[in-house]
Amino acid sequence: MLAGCGQQTTDTPPAQKTPAPAADPAQPGPKVFRENWPDKVPTRGLAKGLALPLETYMPSYADEITVQQARDTAEIACMRRYGFDNWRTEDLGTAPPLAANASNMPRRYGLTDLAEAKEYGYRPPRPGRESTPPPELDAPDAVTVLQGRQEGSTIASFKGKALPEGGCTGEVNRKVGTLDADLVERLSAESFERSQETPAVKAAMGQWSQCMKDRGYQVNSVWDTDKLHSPAAGTASSEEIKLATADVECKTTTNLVKIWFDEETGIQKQLIKDNKSSLEGDRSKKDRTLSTALAINTAAR
């Protein structure tokens, strides 16, 4: 989910190497960690308070965790019916992204938080938590029950007990479902690309480029900064921090982020008008899936 537009380096912080507490095999659902989840709308930097129209139709990170929690709960219950008494799934919420949804607003238009730039350069500001790996995932019998298949062929039973169609995964799909964001994310990507070609954004980008040139950096667009530092390095160098700081300061003086946001907002409003029926249909499906997931999660407490 949340690959998003305007991504510089990565939105998802790397996991810390300290293992998470062991999951309790007796619990009915996965463990969910809720530390450092992103705000619904950015609360810092140049993107503070900004939300694009299409975000109304996007599943949030919290929505995705809610549905995955229900799916995992249903999977655990199914697997335990077939003798996998210690079955569990990976912990959820362990490595939250920087953005609440696929719009990736905190970095949609590149780095936008001066305080983060001065401390972390282009890197995400917080590490994730390492998830507890589930047991038995690669055991042949477990795969058979999960998929309802054995040696490439569909099977109807396991050790004399009838299997649901498609195994436990098929049962989970029918019981919970999934979140479909294909249309809204495609439209979001389209508006992002189109906005960069508008005269207002091109002019502001040119001013930003000149501001960066005045500071000693030859970059034509905000995406060119990736060529001037090493995203693969473990931590930001002093040069990267200097570059990131200049980047955000030049965005501030040229008002690039607000101009870009306003241009893209207009494009998205038209896209919503053109695709209203399909977007509303997808949102209704999302709401039904979330309602089902919430009921399952509540019952498992």
Side-chain angles (χ1 to χ4, degrees):
M1 170 209 156
L2 299 175
C5 298
Q7 184 171 350
Q8 284 183 298
T9 64
T10 179
D11 287 351
T12 304
Q16 288 178 328
K17 294 304 181 182
T18 302
D24 178 5
Q27 67 184 28
K31 282 195 170 185
V32 180
F33 295 90
R34 302 183 184 277
E35 298 96 341
N36 297 320
W37 282 21
D39 296 311
K40 291 182 179 180
V41 178
T43 58
R44 298 163 46 120
L46 301 178
K48 180 179 179 180
L50 301 185
L52 287 163
L54 279 171
E55 292 187 58
T56 302
Y57 298 93
M58 285 183 174
S60 67
Y61 178 68
D63 292 340
E64 296 232 353
I65 294 296
T66 295
V67 172
Q68 191 60 54
Q69 181 182 0
R71 288 180 60 84
D72 288 357
T73 299
E75 178 186 307
I76 290 168
C78 181
M79 293 296 288
R80 289 179 179 176
R81 291 204 313 267
Y82 293 91
F84 296 91
D85 296 335
N86 293 326
W87 189 260
R88 64 173 184 260
T89 54
E90 288 190 1
D91 303 332
L92 301 176
T94 56
L98 300 182
N101 59 45
S103 274
N104 192 22
M105 187 52 67
R107 298 198 179 192
R108 188 174 185 86
Y109 310 121
L111 195 61
T112 58
D113 190 320
L114 184 59
E116 286 184 4
K118 289 181 175 181
E119 187 169 355
Y120 303 104
Y122 289 95
R123 287 143 214 287
R126 53 183 181 265
R129 177 196 294 267
E130 190 173 74
S131 175
T132 301
E136 305 175 298
L137 188 58
D138 295 327
D141 283 353
V143 175
T144 295
V145 174
L146 272 175
Q147 300 178 353
R149 297 179 65 83
Q150 192 171 51
E151 296 179 353
S153 299
T154 300
I155 60 172
S157 65
F158 176 76
K159 294 184 178 179
K161 188 173 183 178
L163 279 173
E165 182 181 353
C168 285
T169 299
E171 180 173 290
V172 169
N173 289 336
R174 290 185 292 274
K175 186 173 183 178
V176 184
T178 57
L179 293 174
D180 179 6
D182 287 350
L183 174 60
V184 67
E185 290 187 10
R186 177 174 61 78
L187 295 176
S188 177
E190 179 181 339
S191 69
F192 179 70
E193 293 300 324
R194 286 172 54 184
S195 66
Q196 296 179 71
E197 300 303 317
T198 61
V201 172
K202 284 187 173 182
M205 190 76 79
Q207 293 172 357
W208 173 89
S209 177
Q210 182 59 52
C211 176
M212 293 292 284
K213 184 177 180 180
D214 293 342
R215 292 170 178 242
Y217 301 106
Q218 293 287 340
V219 281
N220 293 323
S221 79
V222 297
W223 315 124
D224 291 342
T225 56
D226 279 352
K227 302 173 185 177
L228 302 183
H229 68 96
S230 176
T235 57
S237 65
S238 59
E239 283 303 312
E240 179 182 329
I241 288 174
K242 183 180 177 182
L243 169 66
T245 300
D247 180 353
V248 179
E249 288 179 345
C250 283
K251 286 190 178 95
T252 302
T253 59
T254 60
N255 203 28
L256 173 59
V257 172
K258 185 60 166 61
I259 291 169
W260 200 338
F261 171 80
D262 288 344
E263 291 296 306
E264 189 171 14
T265 294
I267 293 170
Q268 287 201 359
K269 286 180 177 178
Q270 185 59 51
L271 287 172
I272 290 173
K273 288 181 180 179
D274 295 342
N275 297 272
K276 188 73 171 179
S277 177
S278 295
L279 285 168
E280 290 294 345
D282 284 355
R283 181 159 62 179
S284 294
K285 292 177 184 176
K286 179 190 75 171
D287 291 344
R288 289 195 298 270
T289 300
L290 281 170
S291 178
T292 298
L294 285 168
I296 291 171
N297 295 340
T298 300
R301 290 174 185 164

